[in-house]
């Protein structure tokens, strides 16, 4: 894996990390996503005759369905290839799959275990590659999250997001997204589950340009106190099932329940990328409660990805 999160290739524009976007590009994508949310089916079918392959090594509801519907609504076509079908790096080398698929379609969404697989694919692909989640990052989620925060809380630098739980793929992308948006993030993770250094460094570099504040710690109460947005994700991600018991013990005290949420601003919203492990990282009363923005957030995957597809494949760049 590359030591930095710099864009992978100059030849083709990929979306492997949120660091592939400049703050201005993020703003243009958000504006287009809001337009597409008001007018979901543009009359001019901006992606007419364009096609998208979706190669997934892990299960998915939101990412798969929202990308497929995004292509339908923009006039294009999507092809889903399940974990059983392609055998990335097993039946065939990652580079060969990338070279072949690039001859058939206009863009590829990849959902992989190893982030290196997505980076390797992007290096050999002659069409844009979109990271639909890897073990290290989930930039499409981060994009939809910033759209949700923008809609619910606006653009002010002092809008404060608290992320509680595992310093995982979603945490990494929330860090980069909030850094690009120039807002404030407080992360609380238990010892041994902190976000990785390269994401901390990249977020800090972006924050220096945008004026964002990224604060890392291990105290969930301190992170949540006064926050405008309280975000959490599962303690055991896909592929980590054998660590379930160890993680469940390590994350005690990080559950987003009514008592923790009560420390946030009175009008704070609750976010979770889903799927949720209800009763573990978040309680039913919180995810189903009046402050929950979780299902609006899930809907925003569709609108944000339509803007992303139009940017990568259409003439919206
Ligand atoms: N949030 C998210 O990416 O959901 P899926 O795993 O269902 O795609
Ligand atoms: N961290 C979770 C996110 C799922 C969308 C996982 O990787 O399983």
């Amino acid at each position: 894996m590359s030591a930095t999160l710099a864009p992978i290739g100059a030849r083709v524009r990929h979306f492997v990390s949120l660091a592939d976007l400049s703050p201005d590009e993020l703003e243009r994508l958000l504006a287009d996503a809001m337009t597409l949310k008001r007018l979901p089916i543009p009359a001019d079918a901006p992606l007419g005759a364009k096609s998208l392959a979706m190669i997934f090594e892990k299960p998915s509801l939101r990412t798969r369905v929202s990308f497929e519907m995004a292509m339908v609504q923009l006039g294009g076509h999507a092809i889903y290839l399940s974990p059983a079908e392609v055998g990335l790096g097993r039946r065939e080398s990652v580079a060969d799959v990338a070279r072949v698929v690039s001859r058939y379609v206009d863009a590829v969404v990849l959902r992989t275990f190893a982030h290196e697989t997505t980076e390797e694919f992007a290096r050999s692909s002659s069409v844009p590659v979109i990271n639909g989640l890897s073990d290290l990052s989930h930039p499409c989620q981060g994009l939809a999250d910033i759209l949700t925060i923008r809609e619910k809380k606006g653009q002010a630098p002092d809008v404060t997001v608290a992320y509680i739980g595992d310093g995982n793929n979603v945490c990494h992308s929330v860090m980069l997204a909030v850094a690009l948006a120039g807002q404030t993030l407080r992360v609380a993770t238990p010892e041994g589950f902190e976000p990785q250094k390269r994401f901390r460094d990249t977020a800090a570099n972006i924050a220096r340009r945008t004026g964002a504040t990224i604060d890392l710690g291990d105290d969930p109460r301190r992170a949540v106190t006064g926050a405008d947005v309280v975000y959490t994700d599962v303690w055991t991600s896909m592929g980590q099932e054998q660590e379930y018991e160890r993680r469940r013990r390590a994350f005690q005290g990080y559950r987003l329940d009514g008592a923790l949420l009560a420390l946030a601003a009175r009008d704070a919203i609750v976010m979770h990328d889903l799927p949720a492990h209800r009763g573990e990282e978040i309680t039913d009363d919180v995810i189903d409660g009046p402050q929950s923005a979780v299902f609006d957030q899930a809907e925003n995957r569709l609108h944000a990805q339509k803007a992303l597809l139009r940017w990568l494949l259409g003439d919206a760049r």
Side-chain angles (χ1 to χ4, degrees):
M1 178 185 297
S2 57
T4 69
L5 295 169
I8 285 171
R11 229 168 18 110
V12 191
R13 204 65 212 261
H14 299 299
F15 186 64
V16 169
S17 162
L18 277 153
D20 292 338
L21 293 182
S22 69
D24 285 349
E25 286 169 338
L26 174 69
E27 291 306 321
R28 289 206 290 279
L29 282 178
L30 293 178
D32 196 36
M34 289 179 193
T35 304
L36 286 162
K37 191 166 181 174
R38 284 192 302 273
L39 289 169
I41 307 188
D44 60 348
L47 299 190
K50 299 280 186 184
S51 54
L52 178 73
M54 302 193 294
I55 304 177
F56 281 33
E57 293 185 331
K58 299 177 182 177
S60 170
L61 171 65
R62 280 144 290 271
T63 307
R64 182 204 169 160
V65 178
S66 57
F67 266 113
E68 269 198 56
M69 290 318 296
M71 287 305 282
V72 168
Q73 293 176 12
L74 295 174
H77 183 77
I79 303 159
Y80 172 72
L81 293 147
S82 76
E85 284 168 280
V86 178
L88 267 179
R90 292 194 313 280
R91 181 169 182 266
E92 196 167 359
S93 80
V94 173
D96 283 355
V97 176
R99 291 185 191 110
V100 171
V101 171
S102 298
R103 301 286 181 109
Y104 300 142
V105 301
D106 300 292
V108 182
V109 179
L110 276 187
R111 171 166 284 203
T112 61
F113 285 95
H115 188 76
E116 291 88 336
T117 304
T118 297
E119 292 191 326
E120 189 184 347
F121 194 106
R123 278 192 291 274
S124 297
S125 173
S126 57
V127 299
V129 171
I130 297 168
N131 175 359
L133 181 145
S134 72
D135 281 355
L136 285 190
S137 70
H138 198 1
C140 296
Q141 185 66 55
L143 195 58
D145 295 342
I146 283 299
L147 176 61
T148 309
I149 293 166
R150 185 64 58 89
E151 284 178 337
K152 308 269 182 200
K153 294 289 165 196
Q155 203 169 354
D158 62 351
V159 167
T160 298
V161 181
Y163 177 95
I164 307 303
D166 192 12
N168 60 12
N169 46 8
V170 168
C171 177
H172 289 154
S173 292
V174 170
M175 284 170 66
L176 298 188
V178 174
L180 275 172
Q183 296 183 305
T184 301
L185 177 67
R186 298 199 292 246
V187 175
T189 53
E191 198 186 333
F193 297 92
E194 297 88 356
Q196 289 193 1
K197 182 174 185 314
R198 99 188 65 152
F199 286 90
R200 299 199 305 262
D201 291 349
T202 303
N205 282 340
I206 296 171
R208 269 191 284 280
R209 284 190 283 142
T210 62
T213 304
I214 310 289
D215 175 65
L216 305 171
D218 62 4
D219 183 347
R221 295 171 62 84
R222 185 178 157 270
V224 169
T225 298
D228 303 296
V229 177
V230 185
Y231 196 132
T232 193
D233 182 27
V234 293
W235 297 338
T236 302
S237 285
M238 293 180 277
Q240 297 174 331
E241 290 76 11
Q242 72 290 352
E243 297 174 25
Y244 174 79
E245 279 305 330
R246 180 172 79 87
R247 287 175 165 272
R248 207 173 52 82
R249 282 194 299 275
F251 286 98
Q252 291 309 314
Y254 287 79
R255 175 173 297 121
L256 180 52
D257 58 13
L260 188 56
L261 182 59
L263 299 174
R266 271 226 312 258
D267 60 351
I269 58 165
V270 170
M271 295 179 68
H272 189 305
D273 48 290
L274 299 175
H277 296 167
R278 286 168 175 259
E280 282 183 33
E281 76 278 0
I282 193 163
T283 52
D284 285 337
D285 57 321
V286 170
I287 195 170
D288 296 329
Q291 289 169 269
S292 175
V294 166
F295 297 99
D296 293 339
Q297 178 187 0
E299 179 189 326
N300 277 340
R301 293 291 304 275
L302 173 65
H303 309 300
Q305 287 159 198
K306 282 165 77 176
L308 179 68
L309 288 166
R310 191 146 84 154
W311 178 65
L312 290 172
L313 293 179
D315 52 9
R317 216 180 294 178

